[in-house]
Amino acid sequence: MERTFDLDEADALMPEVLARAIVLVDLRADLAELTLDLRASGHSRLGGLAESKALEARLAETIGWFAETGIEVKGLAPFLIDFPSVLDGESVRLCWLEGESSLSWYHLTALGFAGRRRLP
């Protein structure tokens, strides 16, 4: 069964979300650079295949926390998450996008990101 969050519950998780998002973005960037370097020249200042596998594992673990918490990961680049919720009797997603400092947006579940609006 899908967890739903009210705005207070989602807001209470935001400090942890922001901290984990910073880790995720750093891991994502390191993995992208390492992968490019290994494909282009076979070596990287960030390591080799073992380091690549370690970064992949750490990234998967970080993403896993969101899923375990009931937060939906919608995209990794940019990092985009949704908190399933209900607003005025409608199924919505409280929506946070990488770079935002707080949870300020939502969209109807049926519309997705294109229907994004500021929270009332």
Side-chain angles (χ1 to χ4, degrees), residues 39-102:
R39 285 185 184 151
S41 66
H43 58 84
S44 173
R45 67 179 183 82
L46 296 173
L49 186 57
E51 288 76 16
S52 175
K53 294 298 182 192
L55 285 169
E56 288 173 358
R58 289 182 57 211
L59 187 59
E61 181 181 316
T62 302
I63 293 167
W65 176 86
F66 291 91
E68 291 165 10
T69 307
I71 300 167
E72 299 172 348
V73 175
K74 298 297 185 165
L76 292 179
F79 186 49
L80 174 65
I81 60 171
D82 285 345
F83 295 83
S85 189
V86 175
L87 185 62
D88 297 329
E90 296 251 20
S91 176
V92 301
R93 296 300 191 256
L94 305 174
C95 186
W96 179 84
L97 178 63
E98 178 182 327
E100 296 174 347
S101 60
S102 64

Side-chain angles (χ1 to χ4, degrees), residues 23-54:
V23 170
L24 185 141
V25 167
D26 287 345
L27 289 168
R28 181 188 70 200
D30 286 348
L31 183 58
E33 181 179 336
L34 178 56
T35 300
L36 177 68
D37 290 347
L38 293 177
R39 285 185 184 151
S41 66
H43 58 84
S44 173
R45 67 179 183 82
L46 296 173
L49 186 57
E51 288 76 16
S52 175
K53 294 298 182 192

